[in-house]
Amino acid sequence: MRYIRPVWLTHSGEKKDFEVYSCHVSPDGTRLVTAAGDGFVRIWSTEAIYNAEDSGYSQPRQLAYMNYHSGTIHSVRFAGNGKYLASGADDKIVCVYHLEPGAPSHSAGFGTNETPPVESWKIFRRLIGHDNDVQDLGWSYDSSILVSVGLDSKVVVWSGHTFEKLKTLVSHQSHVKGLTFDPANKYFATASDDRTIKIWRFTSPGPNSSAHDQMNNFTLEKTISAPFVASPLTTYFRRCSWSPDGNHIAAANAVNGPVSSVAIINRGTWDGDINLIGHEAPVEVCAFSPRLFSRFDPTRSNFDPKVNPVHTVIACAGQDKCLSVWITTNPRPLVIAQDMAVKSISDLAWTPDGKTLFLTTLDGTVIAVMFEPSEIGYEVSLDENERALAKFGAGRRGAGIIEGPDGLLLEERSRVGEMRGVEGRMGALMGDAVPHPPALTNGNIPPPQPPGMLANGAIPPPGAILPSNVPNGHEQDVAKLDDQVSKPREDPNAAKLERLKNRVTITKDGKKRIAPLLVSSAGNDSLLPRPQLMASSSSGQGAQSDQPQTILDLSKPFDGLPKGGLSALLLGNKRRLARIEGVEDDHIDKKIAIASQDGAIPIMSNTTNGLIPAKTIAAPTGQQQTPEFIRPAVINPSLTVSQVRLAVPKVRSHLVRIFGSSAATNGTTTNGYNAPENPNVATEIMIEARNPTQHVSTGRLQDQEPCRIVVTKRGQPVFQDYLPRSALLVTGNKDFWSVACEDGSVYAWTPVGRRLINALVLESQPVVLECQDQWLLCVTAAGLCYVWDMKSLSSPHPPVSLAPILDIAVHSLQDHPTKAPAITGARLNSEGRIVITLTNGEGYAYSPTMYVWQRLSELWWMVGSQYWNSTDSSVGNLRSTTAIGNGTSSSNVSAGVIPFLERTTTNEALARGRAQFLNRLVKQLLSREGFEGFESGVSIAHLENRIAAAMMLGAKDEFQVYLYMYAKRLGVEGLKMKVEELLRGLLGGLQENTEAEGEGGIGLAKAPVDRHWGNKSDLLCGWPRNKLLKDVILILGKNRDLQRITVPYAKVLGVVSEQDEGGVDADVMIA
């Protein structure tokens, strides 16, 4: 080990050398950058430092200097790709520099002793986001993000591509003085004077990512406080370091009893019992060498990394002016060098080869320490680093080699489509998005446009040539419309604006003046971001995001209401007691205290004056009002031997179901009814079932009055009918009415009252009766589901039992009886598929072609997938946009079955706290060997589950959205075999001349021919295969590693040869 301390390697001033606060070495090892109190960033040649003792060395020593800060510079760091250099200072600004090719255009300033610069480093961006001094900086290992921390307790994340502020993390309670990045690119850690280190999990953002896309990225993983409980607050920095194999974090300024130490924190468990003790004063900076070392020479032919263990090297320094170097195979330090400087050591930086260590001190000196292989060991190849990081999911794929001019053209077309998507998103964020047409359900045809309207609903400009297919008799309407367009549109706020412009105010000296009006308020819509921007803009075409997001905190149970119940949620728990005349306050307090013993909550009455103890109400006497329900239903004997026994509804005196005006307000379905086609027409239709409440005069229990069924429209009776048994459930829509009775029979009528069928007799009482279009669903107390087509008077499949999805077999095999999941909802989709949701959060649908239940949503995806984001506004309002003719049709994907099931899973899991333990298990698995690709694998499996569910249900818009998300993720992961299989599946019979065969088997229900990947038609889930394949190829086109697979498909489809840039759909890039 030898020291090199060049005399010229300083930040010299007129009277003294300035304190040097930071240093860093470029990724190629040829440049050393330093930052000091003089406000200069200086770049030095490392070769000149190594040859400082050679008097014959004549190459330049200082390569460049920058002076763009107005204060002391605390941190300076090179980006991992070597393209940028960042510095942070006490002027609250982060400056980013880049190297311009060619010789610098300026020389040293007039009147200075600075040597002329050799390299042309120019400022590229000024980043403003801190309210106090910037203390430290850090780049991710792939240079995708830059993170700055400061004395304002903020952690600010910047994009490494556009340098847009992606997120501000305000979690620390005091100054943040250090950070380090995980070499596996999964975490970064920040150290603060609040005596904690916080671990943040992140996913590397893309080149075009914005703050809106990353609103759910950068989540807090763990807060570590044990080694820092009594750490001193006198240090200037808390610079920690992450080991090159990703296993450990070296945390500065820790304590072990009364002794200063360096805490070694283990990855995954985020704890550790190893402390590096040897410094007499607090340690301010730690630095792991970027290479792995071995005691044996790896160039030998018999060297085996598995037999010869590798180790890491760490250097520590601080206020005691000492440098200590440790290796992980030795419990004692390799060397302790005392009195390295007159003042504290502020920063440490290793060269990329791990053989040289640079250190800066507050006395203005910069020292280079060079090690020999016999001291710290022989560095092993970088493949060992990659192999060590691979178990943590680090994927460092290169840029790839272009496969030819066709691949380059395909990549360019892919990027054009992506940039159009980004422009659409930015337009939506800035308020430029146009209003969308009403949401349509999957597969519906858009309503016809009024005469004279364009296909997308816009009004043509005056003089525009209308299409030639205007129907006869509408020429006058077109002319009137043209006159209306030619007239200037009146602004409803014009009068109010004029009054504001002429508003007169009186000044302090009594003079009258016209009050100035803010110019930006004169417009109708401000372009500034609104408070509801994140929620409202997400419904736009460009503001959607399919990036993996993690937003649910499942570590704690969810409490729906506060301790005091709903009243406490509205009025608060801290209401004062009301003063009662003749009663002392102490008496009330004692009464409440006695009632609150053993954790009980006293019952209080909320009054306008405050809280008073609830009064006891006397028991009711005399004749009582008829209750809402008459009696429990008579249970069928078949339930005594049934595996499934569901609760039967009570017999109520009055059953009412209404649909019409209330449902037409939002255009949705209410209580199983379809909203009217014209929402402007208030057609309130009501069906009533009145059960008898008194016994008949015969005196026999089996004799009873009939049940009366009445249907009214706008208060006028449509029809009336009578049933001999009491009704339990009623439902209906515009196609039919249906009533289920106590004896297990189901009746149906046409809209005008004609009986459709004879009474359907079931084995037990019905508990659920729902309808959708022409389909009717009935679930009985014995757990059988019946589905009927009321138009063809048939059933798509035999009755199906709920026993498989209620875990009957699992619960019956346990030692003690356990509570099985209950049904929270049963409904139908537009094709008559049964959809069931349970209390355990799982969602199921029955496949009539495979005669089996399929699980579409479950808790596993919620805790393991990065794409589980059903509560996020950007996905909650997700829309699929499809070009139809010259117009655009928009379908609300979030209204589909799959997002509904996932929202139900989220709500059930949060309400019952079921995900807490499974989430804890998943977090432990992420750091365990053998589960390196766990998170990625589960996320891809979740997307495949979504695609299969959308295809089975026939949800074409959901299928398109999930398919594009899946293709984008496959491209990011570089899964060549899955990409090739996906493209083959999309191609299908596109290039074959065989006609589509009738498929679906010889069952009772035949599935459409486009509901599986192997069909021979040119459609797939309602979409032309040609369109889906083109869009997927455009999504995958920018991935050079996959171009050997994608380019042949692009040639076949003519994507590469097309010259019209308009052929690139912006809709393809969902994000």
Side-chain angles (χ1 to χ4, degrees), residues 10-281:
T10 60
H11 286 248
S12 302
E14 295 181 358
K15 297 182 179 180
K16 65 168 185 176
D17 292 341
F18 288 95
E19 301 90 345
V20 183
Y21 289 97
S22 183
C23 66
H24 201 237
V25 183
S26 62
D28 58 2
T30 60
R31 302 178 182 88
L32 171 71
V33 59
T34 58
D38 58 352
F40 277 80
V41 174
R42 301 183 185 274
I43 301 178
W44 313 87
S45 170
T46 56
E47 184 181 357
I49 298 174
Y50 301 152
N51 294 277
E53 299 177 356
D54 185 4
S55 58
Y57 187 80
S58 60
Q59 297 298 321
R61 299 170 178 173
Q62 181 174 292
L63 303 179
Y65 65 91
M66 292 82 77
N67 183 19
Y68 293 98
H69 286 285
S70 60
T72 300
I73 304 175
H74 293 147
S75 181
V76 61
R77 296 289 183 265
F78 278 105
N81 55 13
K83 186 177 180 181
Y84 299 108
L85 171 67
S87 62
D90 61 4
D91 58 359
K92 314 173 189 176
I93 295 177
V94 176
C95 291
V96 180
Y97 316 91
H98 71 119
L99 178 62
E100 291 186 350
S105 59
H106 66 283
S107 59
F110 178 76
T112 65
N113 296 325
E114 296 287 349
T115 57
V118 179
E119 298 177 343
S120 180
W121 286 85
K122 300 292 184 181
I123 190 166
F124 186 70
R125 290 285 188 275
R126 291 178 183 266
L127 310 181
I128 301 175
H130 284 276
D131 301 327
N132 210 328
D133 300 3
V134 179
Q135 283 294 103
D136 206 1
L137 298 169
W139 296 84
S140 63
Y141 275 72
D142 60 354
S143 302
S144 61
I145 60 172
L146 168 67
V147 177
S148 59
V149 298
L151 300 185
D152 55 358
S153 306
K154 292 181 180 179
V155 179
V156 184
V157 183
W158 312 87
S159 170
H161 306 279
T162 62
F163 295 101
E164 175 188 356
K165 185 195 295 184
L166 298 180
K167 198 168 188 179
T168 300
L169 309 173
V170 185
S171 184
H172 283 288
Q173 305 302 317
S174 187
H175 310 323
V176 189
K177 295 183 176 179
L179 82 155
T180 181
F181 269 88
D182 170 24
N185 231 44
K186 302 295 181 183
Y187 303 98
F188 66 88
T190 56
S192 169
D193 272 351
D194 60 4
R195 295 187 171 100
T196 64
I197 281 184
K198 295 186 181 294
I199 310 296
W200 306 88
R201 171 181 284 270
F202 74 98
T203 302
S204 296
N208 297 313
S209 297
S210 66
H212 180 268
D213 299 331
Q214 304 301 315
M215 58 188 299
N216 295 308
N217 201 354
F218 311 106
T219 58
L220 181 62
E221 178 78 9
K222 183 71 174 180
T223 299
I224 305 168
S225 58
F228 317 101
V229 175
S231 63
L233 302 179
T234 58
T235 57
Y236 207 79
F237 300 105
R238 289 175 178 259
R239 284 172 169 157
C240 43
S241 180
W242 212 302
S243 64
D245 58 0
N247 286 320
H248 307 289
I249 301 174
N253 201 10
V255 291
N256 187 358
V259 183
S260 297
S261 67
V262 175
I264 304 298
I265 301 171
N266 299 320
R267 183 194 186 101
T269 58
W270 309 118
D271 58 1
D273 52 359
I274 301 177
N275 288 273
L276 307 182
I277 300 175
H279 288 267
E280 299 176 355

Side-chain angles (χ1 to χ4, degrees), residues 670-982:
T670 305
N671 295 332
Y673 293 89
N674 291 335
E677 295 180 359
N678 187 1
N680 299 322
V681 181
T683 57
E684 187 166 320
I685 304 176
M686 179 173 62
I687 179 173
E688 296 179 82
R690 295 185 177 272
N691 292 319
T693 58
Q694 297 179 356
H695 294 291
V696 294
S697 57
T698 59
R700 298 195 310 168
L701 294 178
Q702 60 269 31
D703 297 334
Q704 61 178 4
E705 295 181 0
C707 171
R708 186 159 61 98
I709 307 297
V710 180
V711 175
T712 58
K713 182 177 182 180
R714 299 197 189 104
Q716 299 296 323
V718 177
F719 76 88
Q720 181 173 277
D721 203 346
Y722 300 92
L723 299 177
R725 285 117 185 146
S726 298
L728 290 180
L729 302 167
V730 296
T731 188
N733 55 25
K734 60 183 178 60
D735 296 322
F736 64 91
W737 303 101
S738 181
V739 174
C741 293
E742 181 185 10
D743 62 344
S745 56
V746 178
Y747 299 84
W749 296 266
T750 62
V752 296
R754 177 177 60 86
R755 294 214 178 192
L756 269 174
I757 50 175
N758 303 101
L760 305 176
V761 181
L762 309 180
E763 84 289 345
S764 59
Q765 284 72 25
V767 297
V768 175
L769 191 67
E770 291 291 339
C771 63
Q772 176 71 30
D773 296 337
Q774 78 269 27
W775 303 97
L776 177 63
L777 167 67
C778 182
V779 181
T780 65
L784 289 180
C785 297
Y786 295 84
V787 178
W788 301 291
D789 186 345
M790 303 309 289
K791 283 188 176 179
S792 61
L793 300 182
S794 61
S795 178
H797 53 77
V800 55
S801 174
L802 292 174
I805 66 174
L806 291 178
D807 293 341
I808 296 298
V810 175
H811 288 273
S812 62
L813 293 177
Q814 296 182 1
D815 297 335
H816 303 284
T818 56
K819 186 177 181 181
I823 297 175
T824 58
R827 61 185 63 200
L828 294 166
N829 75 338
S830 58
E831 293 186 346
R833 306 290 176 90
I834 309 172
V835 180
I836 302 291
T837 56
L838 305 180
T839 53
N840 59 6
E842 295 179 353
Y844 296 85
Y846 185 75
S847 173
T849 57
M850 302 184 71
Y851 304 108
V852 71
W853 288 102
Q854 295 187 9
R855 186 185 294 111
L856 307 187
S857 177
E858 58 181 318
L859 200 61
W860 175 249
W861 306 125
M862 180 177 176
V863 297
S865 172
Q866 295 174 322
Y867 289 91
W868 190 275
N869 43 18
S870 56
T871 60
D872 177 31
S873 59
S874 64
V875 179
N877 296 323
L878 195 64
R879 292 176 182 271
S880 172
T881 310
T882 309
I884 299 179
N886 295 328
T888 300
S889 169
S890 176
S891 296
N892 193 349
V893 173
S894 65
V897 174
I898 301 173
F900 163 76
L901 293 178
E902 293 190 353
R903 282 194 294 267
T904 304
T905 303
T906 300
N907 296 336
E908 294 291 341
L910 291 180
R912 291 171 172 80
R914 297 178 183 273
Q916 180 181 4
F917 301 103
L918 189 56
N919 184 62
R920 188 181 306 169
L921 171 64
V922 169
K923 285 189 175 182
Q924 294 176 356
L925 290 178
L926 292 177
S927 58
R928 190 176 300 174
E929 188 172 358
F931 293 86
E932 296 83 10
F934 173 80
E935 200 169 20
S936 175
V938 174
S939 301
I940 293 176
H942 180 214
L943 290 178
E944 293 169 349
N945 184 79
R946 283 178 167 180
I947 293 174
M951 186 178 293
M952 189 269 288
L953 294 172
K956 58 176 295 186
D957 291 299
E958 296 170 49
F959 176 79
Q960 183 198 41
V961 170
Y962 298 147
L963 177 66
Y964 293 165
M965 294 168 66
Y966 180 62
K968 189 173 184 180
R969 184 59 184 259
L970 292 184
V972 172
E973 296 290 338
L975 302 177
K976 296 182 180 180
M977 297 180 66
K978 285 196 173 184
V979 168
E980 191 169 4
E981 184 183 53
L982 175 64

